[in-house]
Amino acid sequence: MPANKPRLRALLLAAGKGTRMRSRLPKVLHPLAGQPMLLHALAAARAAGDEQPTLVIGHEGEQIRAAVGEQAAYVEQTEQLGTGHAVAQARAALQDKADLVLVTSADMPLLEAETLQRLVDAQTQHDGPFTMLTVVQDNPRGFGRILRAAPGGPVQAIIEEAEATSEQLAITELNVGTYCFRADWLWSALDKLSPSEKKGEYYLTDLVAIAVDAGEAVAALVLDDAEQAIGVNTREHLAQAEAALRYRILRGHMLAGVTIQDPATTYIDASVSIGQDTIIKPNTTIEGATVIGDENVIGPNCVIRDSQIGDHCILDGSYIEGARIENHVDVGPFAHLRKGAHLQDHVHIGNYAELKNSVMGPGSKMGHNSYLGDATVGANVNIGAGTITANYDGVNKKPTVIEDGAFIGVDSMLVAPLKIGQGARTGAGAVVTKDVPAYTLVVGMPARAIRKLEGHD
């Protein structure tokens, strides 16, 4: 770090009970775009601060530790005595490690790293003790009102909504609850906070009055994107934040070269990666650790979770979870690829087909109404309609191996453990209970070999 660059540490407040959520789950762990809202706030703070952020935890702190792990350092607020008291708990952890302290809230998941960095930059160019983030909007969302002596001048006070006069309630500049403090001033000023008369709590907003009374100027950076100021206190706020964040994600993909035909019915988690010139059709949900390559057509009506998809695939109206799909594969409609399904290049999976923990080799086809479980299928194999692997004996799962070029007739039942040799065939309705030699035709129930295939006598 350059010698003239101030040391910055980010502090996130995550100790509140979130009673208005009416939930057993801590408020900051409610999911947004596939991950706890806290992790969105944490990622932005880390990007702005270049150091491990510190979390102030209290209510259900162990759940928060379990969700966040080593992505943050922790301090505890054992009694919830207000935001000022929460920041004071971090004094011992940060006092000698930072010249600037960025304070924000874990229930502000839409604040972007660039916004936080602008706030830090504003404070480095400001002689006063801190710079705060504000927003101008008609919907106050319960935020405190900003009083200035003159338009664009220093902040004179923050008036909480419950204490504001009718004239003050008409003010549209609001406190977002995010600040960048000069660290030496912050630790000293916290000792000057007094508990509120109503709740006996110590509020960070009272630091404005402490600064103004000392003749120091408090600067404000006005947020130009009001959506970033959506804080989450209720389930309604959660839904509003979800909608804003999801469109932000969709917009990012579209700007990167992905076609999304109907953003209103498309849901993509923040963790998803999608390649250039892929088309996402309506009513599609893509979740978790999913990676999708280039020039695919996804949907309509697909659900994809924790899967890897290559290039030039067509996935139509299917449910895909924990699967790996390589290149030039087409799936569906109405197929179900379950955990461990692996489709290699040029595989075709038709309607109402299901795979679980099974590999389909290059060029193989499974037309429709079939099920493969714990199966390894070679190259250029045809799986006829109605085929199933009987892979579970009530205690253990058993494997089925179908070698290259085999042809499985319609309505075949393959009773595992079983091996069907290269180029072998099963007749329609066969119940195969024993291994089938290469290039052999078996028919009946139980299946029996009737002849070697032509050219393989």
Side-chain angles (χ1 to χ4, degrees):
M1 178 182 292
N4 60 345
K5 183 177 179 180
R7 298 172 299 165
L8 173 70
R9 296 300 292 267
L11 181 65
L12 279 79
L13 308 185
K17 292 183 178 180
T19 54
R20 283 185 283 171
M21 294 293 288
R22 297 184 180 274
S23 175
R24 296 179 181 87
L25 185 70
K27 176 175 70 172
V28 297
L29 296 185
H30 279 261
L32 282 177
Q35 64 185 29
M37 74 170 83
L38 165 59
L39 295 187
H40 295 285
L42 195 66
R46 186 190 306 111
D50 294 327
E51 295 282 352
Q52 185 185 49
T54 298
L55 275 179
V56 181
I57 59 175
H59 178 67
E60 301 291 354
E62 290 308 311
Q63 288 192 54
I64 295 174
R65 285 180 186 267
V68 175
E70 297 182 359
Q71 297 180 68
Y74 302 90
V75 295
E76 290 197 38
Q77 185 187 22
T78 54
E79 293 183 272
Q80 276 69 65
L81 296 177
T83 52
H85 179 260
V87 172
Q89 307 314 298
R91 186 199 310 261
L94 301 183
Q95 191 163 17
D96 298 324
K97 298 179 181 178
D99 302 308
L100 297 175
V101 178
L102 175 66
V103 178
T104 187
S105 176
D107 63 7
M108 297 289 292
L110 299 183
L111 285 175
E112 297 179 353
E114 293 79 3
T115 297
L116 298 179
Q117 186 60 60
R118 286 176 55 217
L119 181 65
V120 171
D121 292 343
Q123 176 55 29
T124 60
Q125 299 167 19
H126 173 50
D127 293 331
F130 67 97
T131 302
M132 61 186 300
L133 193 63
T134 70
V135 65
V136 176
Q137 62 180 23
D138 293 329
N139 181 1
R141 296 181 183 275
F143 288 155
R145 306 319 197 258
I146 301 298
L147 297 185
R148 298 181 188 250
V155 176
Q156 295 297 301
I158 302 172
I159 306 298
E160 297 301 333
E161 188 169 80
E163 300 174 358
T165 66
S166 58
E167 183 178 307
Q168 292 167 339
L169 288 173
I171 296 172
T172 56
E173 185 178 9
L174 311 170
N175 175 31
V176 175
T178 298
Y179 315 86
C180 185
F181 293 98
R182 200 176 70 227
D184 58 347
W185 184 90
L186 173 64
W187 308 127
S188 174
L190 287 172
D191 292 332
K192 301 175 184 177
L193 289 177
S194 300
S196 66
E197 293 183 2
K198 289 186 177 180
K199 293 186 177 181
E201 295 183 352
Y202 299 83
Y203 296 124
L204 207 57
T205 51
D206 290 344
L207 293 181
V208 173
I210 290 173
V212 171
D213 289 347
E216 300 198 71
V218 175
L221 175 68
V222 180
L223 185 60
D224 51 13
D225 176 9
E227 279 192 340
Q228 291 189 46
I230 297 176
V232 178
N233 288 308
T234 67
R235 305 275 184 154
E236 181 183 15
H237 297 159
L238 186 69
Q240 292 167 352
E242 181 87 19
L245 181 57
R246 285 202 178 277
Y247 189 78
R248 182 189 296 177
I249 292 167
L250 296 180
R251 183 174 183 270
H253 286 299
M254 289 186 282
L255 291 175
V258 176
T259 294
I260 298 176
Q261 291 184 344
D262 185 12
T265 63
T266 302
Y267 301 85
I268 300 177
D269 280 355
S271 51
V272 171
S273 173
I274 305 177
Q276 189 174 357
D277 289 323
T278 285
I279 298 171
I280 309 297
K281 291 191 172 184
N283 203 34
T284 291
T285 298
I286 307 174
E287 300 177 333
T290 295
V291 177
I292 298 174
D294 296 341
E295 298 186 45
N296 299 287
V297 179
I298 310 294
N301 306 310
C302 277
V303 176
I304 303 173
R305 178 181 298 123
D306 296 324
S307 297
Q308 287 73 51
I309 298 164
D311 303 329
H312 306 286
C313 296
I314 299 173
L315 309 181
D316 182 6
S318 297
Y319 199 107
I320 299 166
E321 53 180 336
R324 179 183 173 192
I325 299 172
E326 297 192 20
N327 306 309
H328 300 280
V329 172
D330 64 284
V331 176
F334 312 119
H336 187 184
L337 305 186
R338 296 166 59 193
K339 184 176 181 181
H342 178 188
L343 310 183
Q344 297 180 0
D345 290 354
H346 297 281
V347 164
H348 165 72
I349 300 295
N351 52 298
Y352 300 105
E354 180 179 358
L355 285 89
K356 194 262 185 186
N357 196 32
S358 296
V359 178
M360 291 280 287
S364 290
K365 299 178 181 180
M366 181 174 167
H368 42 275
N369 298 93
S370 297
Y371 167 74
L372 293 181
D374 300 289
T376 301
V377 178
N380 300 309
V381 171
N382 184 85
I383 306 293
T387 295
I388 69 165
T389 54
N391 58 314
Y392 182 52
D393 63 6
V395 178
N396 298 305
K397 298 291 183 69
K398 302 294 180 64
T400 298
V401 175
I402 304 173
E403 294 187 340
D404 295 354
F407 187 98
I408 308 302
V410 297
D411 208 24
S412 291
M413 180 178 292
L414 311 180
V415 183
L418 187 69
K419 178 179 177 180
I420 296 178
Q422 183 175 356
R425 287 176 171 250
T426 69
V431 178
V432 187
T433 60
K434 295 181 180 180
D435 291 352
V436 179
Y439 302 107
T440 299
L441 171 63
V442 298
V443 299
M445 180 179 68
R448 65 192 186 282
I450 59 172
R451 62 180 171 84
K452 282 285 188 178
L453 298 176
E454 186 175 346
H456 298 281
D457 295 339

